[in-house]
Amino acid sequence: MDEQRVRERGPAQWWHSGPPWWNHPEATGPGPGTGTSTGTDPGSGTGIRRPRLPWRSTLPLTLLVLVGSNFAAHTQPHREHLDTYARVLLLAACALLLWRHRHPVTVAFGTAALALAYLAAGYPYGPVFAAVAVACFSAVVAGHRRAAWAALGMLWAGHLLISLWLYRWLPPPGDGGADLGQELIVVTWVLIIVSLAELVRLRREQWARERADRAQAARRRADEERLRIARELHDVLAHSISVINVQAGMGLALLDSDPEQARSALTTIKAASKEALGEVRQVLDTLRAPGDVPRAPAPVLGRLPELVEQAASAGLTVDVTGEPPRLAPGADLAAFRIVQEALTNVVRHSGSRHAIVRLEHGGGELRLRIDDDGPATGADAGGSGNGLAGMRERAAALGGTIEAGPRADGGFRVLAVLPLGNRDARDGGGARDEREDR
């Protein structure tokens, strides 16, 4: 559901946290424009996805290196002319870049070594360094920072050795040594390349963390949604089926002796089942159409008289004292469900046919107290045993508490304390119920 909404918002949203291919577990390329994609290795026979060779980015770079080196040769006539050996070195350096995503360390050192051989042969300075920059950039982004630094350090140290000492014995003849100012320029370019690569690596790691956080948040929301639906279905079905169970037993007992009373029990069963089906449909509608308005409003404390009437049809007399205060929708629904579950437990587990619901509010709190006279029947009522746990979860989501246990006189008491304020909206629990019930 959440992934569908992300897709519907278009590319602007996902680009804010990085394109998807940057964080693919098998793709280690430096990002867009490098031709990085994944494909199944046909020779492995295992279906392992490996990065494809980045032809689309390597071919233009090769063309740039070859053409740019020709221009550089015209501007540096004192260097050796480009011959077949020079072009082989340039092509080899660019060809290595095809494997920069699969073997970034090897490619970084290989391009640095080829560039060093090119310079040692006396060929003109030029775009040959672009191949080394791309290779080391890919190595840093892939996480091989030390290897990239070592490859660049090897290239710079070799160039320093050639330009300050070995130039006497290397071509071109009569070449003069370089001064320290030129070497500082080379070092500056090396630092720029590595700094840009580090920035890309850090941004990529940030995108990966953001994607992991979004995935974790989506899983958490899905878990909370499943719990909410399970709790709603339990509360709806437990109450209605308890009423149906009691009335069905009464109808069977009176079917021969008092047909009219049995007819009344069947009428009550029909009404309770119809209401249960409506509430179940309302809960399930949130799965089919999350943004639609439900056909019926969510239950609130103002519907307590209907709950009392349903309990009376199950043979339970309920007295209500106090007036329900104004609550946020999430808190109102939780309070209604707590009273409903407490009365359901009286019908199922208590021998008493009388219960008292007291509503008190003050000091920013709503106190719900449900008492019955007991004693417990001790019979298996066929419940799941999750009623009290569900009530505690509802109260805890709003920042409230639930106390439940036997009374000294033999009855049973449920005491719920819920905040009256808008805490459910701040904490997120009640607000989620409100949004999802609408």
Side-chain angles (χ1 to χ4, degrees), residues 34-50:
T34 61
T36 328
S37 58
T38 58
T40 302
D41 186 359
S44 65
T46 59
I48 298 175
R49 297 178 66 85
R50 301 182 61 187

Side-chain angles (χ1 to χ4, degrees), residues 251-336:
L252 287 175
L254 300 176
L255 184 62
D256 296 328
S257 60
D258 193 347
E260 288 301 321
Q261 190 67 23
R263 183 188 301 273
S264 177
L266 291 175
T267 302
T268 302
I269 290 173
K270 180 180 179 181
S273 61
K274 180 179 179 181
E275 181 175 355
L277 286 174
E279 294 201 28
V280 169
R281 189 179 296 112
Q282 178 183 344
V283 173
L284 297 181
D285 278 346
T286 62
L287 295 178
R288 299 191 184 98
D292 291 350
V293 177
R295 301 171 185 174
V300 293
L301 279 181
R303 294 177 57 183
L304 273 182
E306 300 177 23
L307 198 59
V308 170
E309 184 178 349
Q310 293 174 5
S313 65
L316 179 66
T317 302
V318 180
D319 295 331
V320 179
T321 61
E323 292 294 328
R326 296 187 60 181
L327 297 171
D332 221 351
L333 172 63
F336 179 88

Side-chain angles (χ1 to χ4, degrees), residues 155-418:
L155 176 61
W156 177 75
H159 177 265
L160 187 65
L161 187 64
I162 293 171
S163 61
L164 297 182
W165 182 45
L166 295 179
Y167 70 91
R168 299 181 180 90
W169 300 280
L170 294 175
D175 187 21
D179 56 23
L180 292 178
Q182 292 175 335
E183 295 303 323
L184 288 177
I185 293 175
V186 174
V187 172
T188 301
W189 277 107
V190 169
L191 292 176
I192 290 174
I193 293 171
V194 175
S195 299
L196 288 175
E198 289 289 343
L199 287 175
V200 173
R201 182 187 62 83
L202 292 174
R203 182 56 176 160
R204 185 186 182 204
E205 292 178 354
Q206 180 183 357
W207 285 338
R209 286 193 299 269
E210 290 175 357
R211 287 169 64 87
D213 291 342
R214 288 199 303 274
Q216 183 179 4
R219 288 193 297 269
R220 185 173 60 251
R221 287 193 297 270
D223 292 340
E224 291 173 353
E225 176 70 5
R226 284 193 294 269
L227 178 61
R228 186 194 70 84
I229 292 175
R231 192 166 52 221
E232 285 291 308
L233 290 176
H234 173 274
D235 292 346
V236 170
L237 296 178
H239 176 75
S240 300
I241 292 178
S242 295
V243 173
I244 291 172
N245 181 58
V246 171
Q247 292 297 322
M250 183 183 302
L252 287 175
L254 300 176
L255 184 62
D256 296 328
S257 60
D258 193 347
E260 288 301 321
Q261 190 67 23
R263 183 188 301 273
S264 177
L266 291 175
T267 302
T268 302
I269 290 173
K270 180 180 179 181
S273 61
K274 180 179 179 181
E275 181 175 355
L277 286 174
E279 294 201 28
V280 169
R281 189 179 296 112
Q282 178 183 344
V283 173
L284 297 181
D285 278 346
T286 62
L287 295 178
R288 299 191 184 98
D292 291 350
V293 177
R295 301 171 185 174
V300 293
L301 279 181
R303 294 177 57 183
L304 273 182
E306 300 177 23
L307 198 59
V308 170
E309 184 178 349
Q310 293 174 5
S313 65
L316 179 66
T317 302
V318 180
D319 295 331
V320 179
T321 61
E323 292 294 328
R326 296 187 60 181
L327 297 171
D332 221 351
L333 172 63
F336 179 88
R337 293 301 189 199
I338 289 172
V339 175
Q340 183 183 50
E341 179 62 28
L343 295 180
T344 300
N345 287 340
V346 174
V347 173
R348 280 181 168 182
H349 306 294
S350 176
S352 173
R353 297 296 88 190
H354 178 255
I356 301 175
V357 178
R358 292 183 175 87
L359 291 81
E360 302 173 355
H361 55 91
E365 292 181 339
L366 168 65
R367 296 171 62 86
L368 292 171
R369 195 173 74 185
I370 301 95
D371 293 293
D372 68 85
D373 300 332
T377 59
D380 183 8
S384 63
N386 294 323
L388 289 177
M391 285 193 287
R392 290 192 176 94
E393 290 170 357
R394 287 186 181 277
L398 299 171
T401 58
I402 288 284
E403 297 178 6
R407 300 187 310 179
D409 57 3
F412 197 85
R413 170 173 295 171
V414 174
L415 176 63
V417 180
L418 304 177

